[in-house]
Amino acid sequence: MAEAAAPRTHRTRSWWGWGWADAHPDDAECIAMGALVPGTLARPLPLPEIADLRIGPPAVTPPITLAPLVTADPAARASHTMGKAFRDVARALRGRPGRIPDLVAHPRCDQDVADLLEWAGEHRVAVVPYGGGSSVVGGVEYRGEEHRAVLSLDLTAMDRVLEIDTADRSALVQAGILGPALEDRLRPHGLTLRHFPQSFEFSTLGGWLATRAGGHYATGRTRIDDFAQSLRVVTPAGTGTSWRLPSSGAGPSPDRFFLGSEGALGVITQAWMRLQERPAHKASAAVAFADLQAALQAVRAIAQSDLVPANCRLLDAGEAALSGASQDGSAVLVLGFESSTAPVEDRLALALELARAHGGTTGKTGADAPPDAAVGAWRSAFLRMPYLRDGLARMGAVVETFETAATWDRIPALIDGIRNGVGVAARKATGFPALVNCRLTHVYPDGAAPYFTVVAGGRPGDEAAVWDELKAVAEDVLHRHRATITHHHAVGRDHRRAYDRQRPEPFALALHAAKHALDPHGILNPGVLVGS
């Protein structure tokens, strides 16, 4: 059963910052936030204008056969220059966005993608696949010099649900569909993909697959990998589609080869995705802990049980205060359960018992009680935080997050190492103290994914460089503790140094060989995963 194309929204995306252009803090709110961070500016930086970039003509002209797919419009080129990391926002605010694409293409089908790749290979044009543009690791910008021109390959015109198989609970979906549109197409069938990253509103299925994105849910099937049944990928060497199967032991998985490849090996154009029935039963509560170490033990106990909470996020005292979940110095555990088949209050009650056994204290729970106030506060802050980050960036603050994952035995020392290392580095770089908070976003029986928030004053005009210095310190701490450079944000260009240190050398050799075989001209997202 095929579905119609997704409807277009009439709101305007911000070209320089996160999300909707009309949702950013105004000047007064920026000033109020800046007053809370030592070392910030007296007044916010002005909103950047595309006209100030003085975008010149493209270095190449596409052939007449491809012209209908391609634009050189300055606004389109500016909005496809960078992702949405702090360093992207800081550079845009200072009028230094980096290499602006010469052209932006909107292919409508697999053949369009193949034709664009063939032309680009013949003319030394770098091709940067682009979904929603929400990368926070430099995954959608070009930083090299060896290519004649840059083409941003925007997949969002390929946004259809091609088929829904209700018997198998799966759907064939084009890669350019945005999260809300996909859920709108599945909702009439009582189905959901159940993948809700923070960027859900502004990211695409193809982007999730290409970056091995993690969703909002904290346990169980947390990654997009778990939902991918079959992929179709267009490469300069040809197009291939894996078989749609519930499982297979036939050699290395072709799907896992392209999952996480970030557009460097091929362009994912469509996928069969495993679906679920929409949840009908939900319950949530918050638990306060006076001691973070006790809270970590509680979360480990819950993760190693068979309860499988949908949400199991532990906020340290600083993160709880920042989100409004607690103001008394307590760490807060946000717990949530859901099911499509049966009530979940019993599972929530058992999880709360485990939390209390480790020193946690709880508020109201139960089917008739409203969600705990801390839960609601956290949810609101979770969605609003990227906009507030951009408001603080306008005040010259350094505000960014990074995430990792490690085994339980390393988590306590890792958290302390990041707090101390980044805190010292921030004072050295700026002369002001930094706020370094931590939360656990995903938990597993054998470990967890700590997610760090850093807020510090900047050096006026040099904010992106300050963050680069702090991130380099953080990377070294992660490496010492054998914690991954990324749990769900992907590698991009910002994490290349750490990724090269983390991956085994034989795997690196195989990846280089695969890149050469599939992309002989080296045009696909140069600098990501392999190469310069």
Side-chain angles (χ1 to χ4, degrees):
M1 180 189 308
E3 296 284 345
R8 302 296 183 182
T9 179
H10 296 293
R11 293 182 78 183
T12 301
R13 289 277 303 273
S14 171
W15 75 269
W16 62 270
W18 182 264
W20 301 113
D22 60 9
H24 283 271
D26 60 22
D27 285 4
E29 189 174 1
C30 291
I31 292 171
M33 289 190 296
L36 303 176
V37 182
T40 54
L41 304 173
R43 298 198 58 80
L45 295 168
L47 296 177
E49 300 289 343
I50 292 175
D52 295 336
L53 300 179
R54 299 179 181 178
I55 299 173
V60 292
T61 301
I64 192 169
T65 54
L66 297 178
L69 306 176
V70 176
T71 180
D73 174 67
R77 292 166 64 187
S79 65
H80 286 74
T81 298
M82 305 176 299
K84 301 302 181 183
F86 165 77
R87 70 187 315 275
D88 302 328
V89 172
R91 289 183 296 157
L93 288 169
R94 295 292 184 178
R96 302 191 291 263
R99 175 93 177 251
I100 295 172
D102 295 85
L103 300 167
V104 177
H106 290 88
R108 299 161 298 193
C109 62
D110 288 0
Q111 189 58 55
D112 287 348
V113 175
D115 292 343
L116 287 161
L117 294 184
E118 182 179 11
W119 169 73
E122 292 173 352
H123 293 83
R124 291 192 300 112
V125 176
V127 178
V128 180
Y130 188 101
S134 61
S135 171
V136 292
V137 292
V140 294
E141 68 173 286
Y142 178 80
R143 297 180 186 171
E145 299 291 338
E146 65 271 26
H147 291 82
R148 178 183 174 194
V150 180
L151 172 73
S152 179
L153 187 70
D154 187 318
L155 275 292
T156 53
M158 299 173 66
D159 62 352
R160 300 173 70 89
V161 175
L162 301 174
E163 186 176 348
I164 297 178
D165 185 337
T166 55
D168 289 346
R169 292 197 310 192
S170 56
L172 178 61
V173 187
Q174 289 184 309
I177 194 167
L178 290 162
L182 174 57
E183 288 297 319
D184 287 345
R185 294 295 173 267
L186 300 177
R187 189 173 291 105
H189 303 275
L191 298 172
T192 175
L193 181 61
R194 195 182 179 270
H195 183 78
F196 302 107
Q198 189 177 31
S199 62
F200 170 75
E201 192 176 8
F202 307 109
S203 54
T204 63
L205 173 64
W208 302 340
L209 294 166
T211 59
R212 297 184 64 202
H216 166 77
Y217 294 93
T219 66
R221 291 184 287 181
T222 63
R223 312 193 69 89
I224 197 66
D225 313 34
D226 302 318
F227 304 111
Q229 191 180 47
S230 167
L231 302 183
R232 183 168 177 82
V233 183
V234 178
T235 80
T239 298
T241 307
S242 61
W243 286 14
R244 178 189 171 202
L245 297 166
S247 185
S248 173
S253 167
D255 293 335
R256 290 194 174 275
F257 181 73
F258 289 104
L259 287 166
S261 61
E262 301 189 42
L265 302 179
V267 181
I268 299 170
T269 59
Q270 63 186 46
W272 274 100
M273 302 301 297
R274 298 182 176 93
L275 308 176
Q276 302 172 65
E277 293 183 7
R278 302 187 72 82
H281 307 274
K282 297 182 179 182
S284 61
V287 187
F289 290 86
D291 178 54
L292 181 63
Q293 298 307 313
L296 289 170
Q297 293 298 317
V299 173
R300 180 168 65 87
I302 294 170
Q304 292 177 347
S305 71
D306 59 357
L307 296 174
V308 195
N311 199 2
C312 187
R313 300 207 174 201
L314 176 62
L315 319 178
D316 72 3
E319 194 73 2
L322 193 65
S323 67
S326 173
Q327 300 297 330
D328 64 359
S330 297
V332 174
L333 172 60
V334 179
L335 280 171
F337 287 82
E338 64 178 43
S339 171
S340 63
T341 58
V344 294
E345 283 75 19
D346 287 349
R347 281 195 285 153
L348 175 59
L350 290 171
L352 292 175
E353 285 185 18
L354 287 173
R356 293 189 194 102
H358 289 84
T361 58
T362 57
K364 294 181 179 180
T365 61
D368 298 325
D372 193 288
V375 177
W378 172 79
R379 287 174 179 160
S380 297
F382 179 73
L383 297 175
R384 183 62 178 156
M385 193 59 68
Y387 293 102
L388 301 182
R389 178 206 66 179
D390 290 357
L392 280 168
R394 290 186 61 200
M395 297 302 298
V398 175
V399 187
E400 187 56 297
T401 63
F402 63 94
E403 37 73 54
T404 183
T407 52
W408 283 115
D409 60 316
R410 295 186 174 97
I411 294 292
L414 171 64
I415 293 174
D416 288 343
I418 289 292
R419 283 176 172 162
N420 294 333
V422 174
V424 170
R427 186 177 283 278
K428 180 179 179 181
T430 69
F432 297 99
L435 181 69
V436 184
N437 294 336
C438 178
R439 66 181 185 263
L440 302 187
T441 61
H442 302 75
V443 296
Y444 306 94
D446 53 349
Y451 191 111
F452 296 92
T453 300
V454 180
V455 182
R459 295 193 300 257
D462 212 18
E463 295 87 356
V466 170
W467 173 246
D468 289 343
E469 293 172 23
L470 303 187
K471 187 62 179 293
V473 170
E475 288 177 359
D476 289 340
V477 175
L478 296 180
H479 187 73
R480 287 199 303 273
H481 289 273
R482 295 184 67 82
T484 182
I485 185 56
T486 177
H487 172 264
H488 58 268
H489 280 172
V491 176
R493 291 165 179 82
D494 294 348
H495 290 159
R496 263 301 302 277
R497 180 182 79 105
Y499 176 65
D500 288 352
R501 296 166 71 188
Q502 179 177 328
R503 66 186 179 192
E505 185 57 28
F507 179 75
L509 293 174
L511 196 56
H512 278 276
K515 172 72 170 177
H516 180 71
L518 296 172
D519 182 21
H521 297 293
I523 61 168
L524 282 174
N525 222 2
V528 169
L529 296 185
V530 294
S532 59

